[in-house]
Amino acid sequence: MPADDLGAARDTDPVTPDPSPTPPAEASRTLVFDERATAHSPAEDLLGILTGTFTASLGLYLLQTSEAVTGGTAGLSLLIQYASGLPFWLLFLLINLPFAGLAVWQKGWSFTIRTVVAIAMVSGWSVVHHALFRIDSLDPIYGTLGGNLLAGVGLLILFRHRASLGGINIVALIVQDRWGLRAGWTQMIFDVIIVATALLVVPWPNVVLSAVGAVVLNLVLAMNHRPGRYIGH
């Protein structure tokens, strides 16, 4: 073939695209995280449980001072305290004991041990708050809403460090793991029942405030604790 014909052929042949082009470096990045890099260290877990229990117990202390209730075993403990006069720290320990077996069965020993430690620490912090943080007067709206907000943040911290405050928290986490229903929504269902029962023990204005506060607490959990939202463990 003449040289000029070969050149013309080269000019007119269609260009065959590369079947496997190399993507740019930016496009090849993925959201895959090293499990070891995202795991909490023992020191981080310890600090997280200390922080979570302190925050949650301070919220419960504000609720006690406001004569309000909340959901979960903490709310049940408050109700029995108002009715019987028994100390909150003792009731909180006793009510959560039956849930330890459920935690071992469904969540394993690591979660159970962390939860038992968290329950004991909330009871201990409760004694510390009463001894060192005396409150002579507290607006009930502030105390109820602020107390539930603090309790919700404390629970969120504990959940993210594979712990809980026992009771309904354990049931809510199991439901989330098995059926995908967010822990906050499950907790809210139980909390409505507990807060409604408070009508037998505390005045109805306190119950109304408590109901609003329980919604605040569970919104904190429902909006922030769900599968895929947090990569640390």
Side-chain angles (χ1 to χ4, degrees), residues 1-15:
M1 179 180 294
D4 55 343
D5 291 338
L6 179 61
R10 286 175 178 172
D11 291 339
T12 58
D13 283 346
V15 177

Side-chain angles (χ1 to χ4, degrees), residues 58-68 133-147 209:
L58 182 58
L60 294 174
Y61 179 57
L62 294 182
L63 291 174
Q64 284 180 273
T65 307
S66 304
E67 295 186 353
F133 185 29
R134 298 186 181 276
I135 302 177
D136 296 326
S137 64
L138 180 65
D139 181 83
I141 297 177
Y142 176 88
T144 303
L145 299 183
L209 270 177

Side-chain angles (χ1 to χ4, degrees), residues 5 24 101 107 109 131 145 160 226 229:
D5 291 338
K107 301 294 290 183
W109 279 105
L145 299 183
R160 289 181 170 178
R226 65 183 187 224
R229 169 57 62 91

